Amino acid sequence: MKKYLPYLNILGAAACWGCIGLFSRTLSLAGMSAANIVVIRNLGGLILLTLIFALTDRSVFHVKPKHLPIFFGTGVVSVLLFTLCYFRCQELCSLAVSAILLYTAPAMVVLMSAAVFRERITRKKILALALALLGCSFVTGVWSGDASVTAAGVLFGLGAGFLYALYSIFSRYAIDRGYDSWTITFYSFLV
């Protein structure tokens, strides 16, 4: 069973991520603003993570105060602002369009990593990004003509992709200082 746990984690994460649009759309139709939905999502995530780590791995709670600016980057600049932009995009465009715009994030990570960390942009990376975006467009049904798009929605969607990409950049600084992914995730929600 332990051998399959990483695969089950990936499937579980994908299922949760795939439901985010349904969750936010339902709350939005019930009259909640994007900001309120963000508070519910992030506070709910923080409470759940706190309970899980309090029972299983309290080492997650330990960070050096001098590294808190990194978690400000992952938590406020990335998670909070990305979620606000993403949910606002979903209010202005279809879920399919919102998803495609968010999935510009990997391309932005490649470009930012080249600028910040001096990583090479290879043909394989460009091909992988193009195929990923094309695949997302087919899966979401953007080509069927049912997608609704507004200029403001596109800007919010691209903003969501950019801010989500920043999570990878800020996280690399935390990883370089010895923090694991659970600590980064917990403090991103806490901050």
Side-chain angles (χ1 to χ4, degrees), residues 37-188:
I37 296 169
V38 168
V39 169
I40 290 170
R41 175 189 181 264
N42 290 354
L43 187 59
L46 175 63
I47 291 168
L48 183 64
L49 289 174
T50 301
L51 291 173
I52 290 170
F53 294 134
L55 297 172
T56 62
D57 184 9
R58 293 182 184 187
S59 68
V60 166
F61 301 130
H62 302 291
V63 298
K64 294 179 181 173
K66 68 180 182 180
H67 295 147
L68 288 176
I70 296 169
F71 299 110
F72 179 84
T74 59
V76 174
V77 175
S78 186
V79 172
L80 176 68
L81 295 178
F82 130 68
T83 311
L84 279 170
C85 284
Y86 187 52
F87 290 162
R88 185 67 179 126
C89 179
Q90 289 177 349
E91 290 175 353
L92 298 170
C93 298
S94 66
L95 292 179
V97 170
S98 301
I100 290 298
L101 293 171
L102 178 63
Y103 289 124
T104 61
M108 293 182 199
V109 169
V110 168
L111 295 174
M112 285 189 267
S113 294
V116 176
F117 304 119
R118 305 277 190 256
E119 291 184 8
R120 290 187 38 188
I121 299 176
T122 64
R123 287 183 181 157
K124 283 184 181 179
K125 287 180 185 179
I126 292 170
L127 179 61
L129 291 171
L131 289 173
L133 285 173
L134 182 63
C136 286
S137 70
F138 286 134
V139 169
T140 58
V142 161
W143 303 108
S144 68
D146 295 333
S148 63
V149 181
T150 66
V154 169
L155 291 176
F156 277 109
L158 290 172
F162 175 74
L163 293 163
Y164 186 58
L166 282 177
Y167 186 83
S168 296
I169 303 302
F170 287 122
S171 292
R172 170 122 174 232
Y173 287 107
I175 290 168
D176 289 347
R177 281 149 185 82
Y179 296 107
D180 66 13
S181 61
W182 290 122
T183 302
I184 297 167
T185 301
F186 175 78
Y187 272 89
S188 295

